[in-house]
Amino acid sequence: MAGATKQPTAKNADEGSVGVEIFDQAYNLRGSDAEYILKLAEYVDAKMRAVAEQTHTVDTARLAVLAALNIADEYHLLKRNQDVGAVDYLKRAHHLADALDEVLDEKRRAG
């Protein structure tokens, strides 16, 4: 990860836009949640700076693509882990439902 990252610049709430700086380039972005936009810009800036530090390249377009690939990789790993967790959760829920059904059937037979 990069050392010190530049903080995105201040927001302009009157216009509904947020001024940010990503890898020394200024952007005015629009959205309903200015704090969230600032957080995203800060994350992208940090990723680009980390890639720049690791690759020693100065081509901004190349850095942006490599940062995007890193972010996409993180996203897909998290999604895969979430999907695996959901499958495990469903298996466990079915197992518990079957166990509950057995107990209820035994009670019906006994009672």
Side-chain angles (χ1 to χ4, degrees):
M1 199 73 175
T5 62
K6 291 189 96 174
Q7 294 295 321
T9 59
K11 6 177 190 181
N12 187 349
D14 296 337
E15 297 176 18
S17 67
V18 180
V20 299
E21 192 173 293
I22 300 172
F23 207 71
D24 302 327
Q25 291 288 318
Y27 299 93
N28 285 314
L29 306 174
R30 291 184 177 268
S32 59
D33 187 346
E35 291 300 318
Y36 183 66
I37 291 171
L38 288 169
K39 186 181 284 190
L40 291 176
E42 184 178 283
Y43 186 76
V44 171
D45 182 71
K47 281 294 179 186
M48 287 186 70
R49 290 181 188 283
V51 169
E53 192 175 283
Q54 292 170 1
T55 63
H56 306 291
T57 186
V58 292
D59 181 0
T60 307
R62 184 173 175 82
L63 288 172
V65 170
L66 291 172
L69 286 169
N70 277 299
I71 293 167
D73 180 50
E74 288 177 357
Y75 167 77
H76 284 280
L77 287 173
L78 288 170
K79 188 168 179 357
R80 185 182 327 149
N81 288 340
Q82 181 182 9
D83 291 346
V84 167
V87 168
D88 289 344
Y89 170 78
L90 287 174
K91 284 180 184 177
R92 183 155 172 77
H94 286 297
H95 176 72
L96 292 172
D98 291 343
L100 182 59
D101 286 342
E102 276 184 43
V103 169
L104 291 175
D105 284 343
E106 287 175 14
K107 277 194 164 194
R108 279 187 221 131
R109 282 186 232 139

